[in-house]
DNA sequence: GTACGATACGGACCAGTGGTCCGCTTCGGT
DNA sequence: ACCGAAGCGGACCACTGGTCCGTATCGTAC
């Protein structure tokens, strides 16, 4: 075993930090206004403990996001249809996107924090790479659909946290409306035949 | 006239600041690493001058972006087809998106800086509202196309600066490939009939 | 050309951030 | 009960966007 078991107080503090961060991020409007000192204070630990446990701010946000995402990840990796692996692509792709949208709606503050975490683009994270690969592989199994990679990017872009947050909070779009809109978009993209001519002729 | 003419040195310094910022943003990998002090030094002015001229960092980036965007704006507002106003929607929408993509490719550092400027979401800016309204209005004129508003969001999301930058710089996607992919996506969305049933039946 | 008020300059300065450091505390095996 | 290792925490640091105000410059009236 090269892995050391963490000490009891360390585990407790880590959990406290995650819980505190969760509460703070959920409560507040913009993730930028939550500082590491805030989280430390709310968790009743020192700031150093936070950085020891998570490395940096981005690490904390990632850890928190991963925790929340865990059930969905399970459902996708080994759950029953329509999310689980034994589902035909034409059915699984819309289900995945709907689940992702729902998740981001429920956790929009956290998702926004994640996507704007640090200076690096959200496209350079393992998290994004994972979702994109999953979607792209499924799209590639759908016959007559070109550019699976780009289509996957486009579909994921339609569920970006800040867009979802804008639609939900600023435009007051009801949850079911958004789900239907994304489902329609997905359907249109999956059903459409590959276009023959780039110009708008017919 | 309620507008005062700016003093000569003010105008010169403003131009110098824009030019310096342009150079710096273009050169560097991530916009975060360019500080206001850097720009001031490169422009040969004091930091206070920068803030006096542009208000804050976001204001400077916006001003710079607006300058670069000006030719495209002109072409869209009063130029000839296919960008100008006297163009049928089915032809103008793809043209607009292609122009936007091209512009963002050519100015990806600046566009990235703009979209991640400040704490506020890029969706709450006049700039985005303008593009979205333009696109939505055109989409609404296309018969048989539901959810013009959401479709406009989705199309614009596919041209977000960080995605474009990721495709161009990390995935090494050639320019023409990206243009074709976006054109295909647009065509698929515009040509597809409104789906009748949300489920994947036929 | 000169005098003079308005305008703009610029760098010292400030508040607040993420992140580090290290003397002190706590844990847990023996 | 002991003791080395692991963890703690808040003073501290480097650095950022943004402010302030004494000083320099501009443009105008004469």
């Amino acid at each position: 075993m090269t892995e050391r078991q963490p000490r009891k107080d360390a585990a407790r503090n880590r959990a406290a930090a995650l819980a505190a961060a969760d509460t703070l991020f959920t409560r507040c409007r913009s993730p930028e206004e939550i500082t590491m000192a805030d989280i430390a204070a709310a968790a009743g630990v020192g700031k150093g403990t936070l950085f020891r446990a998570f490395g940096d701010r981005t690490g904390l946000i990632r850890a928190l996001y991963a925790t929340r995402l865990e059930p969905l990840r399970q459902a996708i990796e080994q759950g029953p249809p329509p999310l689980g692996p034994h589902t035909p692509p034409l059915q699984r792709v819309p289900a995945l996107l709907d689940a992702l949208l729902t998740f981001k709606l429920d956790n929009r503050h956290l998702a926004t924090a994640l996507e704007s975490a640090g200076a690096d683009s959200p496209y350079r994270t393992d998290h994004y790479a994972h979702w994109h690969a999953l979607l792209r592989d499924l799209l590639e199994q759908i016959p007559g659909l070109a550019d699976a990679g780009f289509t996957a990017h486009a579909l994921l872009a339609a569920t970006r946290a800040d867009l979802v947050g804008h639609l939900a909070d600023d435009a007051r779009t009801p949850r079911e409306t958004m789900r239907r809109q994304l489902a329609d978009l997905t359907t249109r993209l999956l059903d459409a035949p590959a276009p023959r001519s780039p110009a708008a002729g017919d």
Side-chain angles (χ1 to χ4, degrees), chain A residues 4 6-8 22 46 49 55 67-68 73 77 85 90 99 107 117 136 150 155 168 181 185 194 199 202:
Chain A
R4 272 268 124 71
R7 241 168 61 173
K8 202 170 25 177
D22 203 346
T49 304
T67 303
R68 292 280 205 129
R73 225 208 61 207
E77 280 187 8
L90 260 179
N107 302 277
R136 186 203 48 208
F150 186 77
L155 285 171
Q181 287 173 334
L185 181 81
D202 188 20

Side-chain angles (χ1 to χ4, degrees), chain A residues 35-125:
Chain A
T35 76
M36 293 300 271
D38 290 339
I39 298 174
V45 303
K47 211 163 54 142
T49 304
L50 243 51
F51 285 93
R52 164 174 294 268
F54 301 101
D56 58 9
R57 186 187 155 94
T58 302
L60 190 156
I61 294 174
R62 270 207 267 267
L64 183 50
Y65 194 85
T67 303
R68 292 280 205 129
L69 194 59
E70 182 57 23
L72 180 55
R73 225 208 61 207
Q74 284 282 334
I76 289 171
E77 280 187 8
Q78 37 185 306
L83 283 180
H86 304 301
T87 315
L90 260 179
Q91 196 182 342
R92 199 180 181 202
V93 168
L96 287 173
L97 287 167
D98 185 59
L100 184 57
L101 173 67
T102 304
F103 178 81
K104 290 212 184 173
L105 264 173
D106 291 337
N107 302 277
R108 51 191 109 122
H109 300 94
L110 186 53
T112 303
L114 181 76
E115 287 182 19
S116 65
D120 41 339
S121 119
Y123 289 97
R124 257 170 239 157
T125 62

Side-chain angles (χ1 to χ4, degrees), chain A residues 193-198 202:
Chain A
R196 297 134 215 126
S197 64
D202 188 20

